[in-house]
Amino acid sequence: MSTGEKAKAKAEQVIGKTLRKVAHAVHKDTLAAKGAALETRGKMRDTKESATDPFKR
């Protein structure tokens, strides 16, 4: 897993989680869903990249 991909995955997770929490605080369900999707995409990117990384096994 390249360093750039690790950074993208972590950034998507952090931004998505933050966005989701802020959206829930201001009662914006659509924005919360977008934040959750971004967080999930970051987790999936991390999973995909760690599965292809021979040093993570």
Side-chain angles (χ1 to χ4, degrees):
M1 183 165 163
S2 69
T3 305
E5 288 297 316
K6 283 182 186 178
K8 276 185 188 177
K10 188 64 177 175
E12 284 179 342
Q13 289 176 37
V14 170
I15 292 169
K17 187 173 186 177
T18 303
L19 182 62
R20 185 174 47 85
K21 287 185 175 195
V22 168
H24 278 297
V26 295
H27 306 291
K28 299 289 184 183
D29 293 335
T30 304
L31 192 57
K34 289 180 183 179
L38 184 62
E39 183 179 4
T40 302
R41 188 171 69 195
K43 287 180 182 178
M44 294 306 294
R45 181 189 304 268
D46 186 43
T47 302
K48 181 191 87 165
E49 289 298 321
S50 65
T52 60
D53 190 0
F55 298 111
K56 283 254 181 167
R57 295 181 191 164

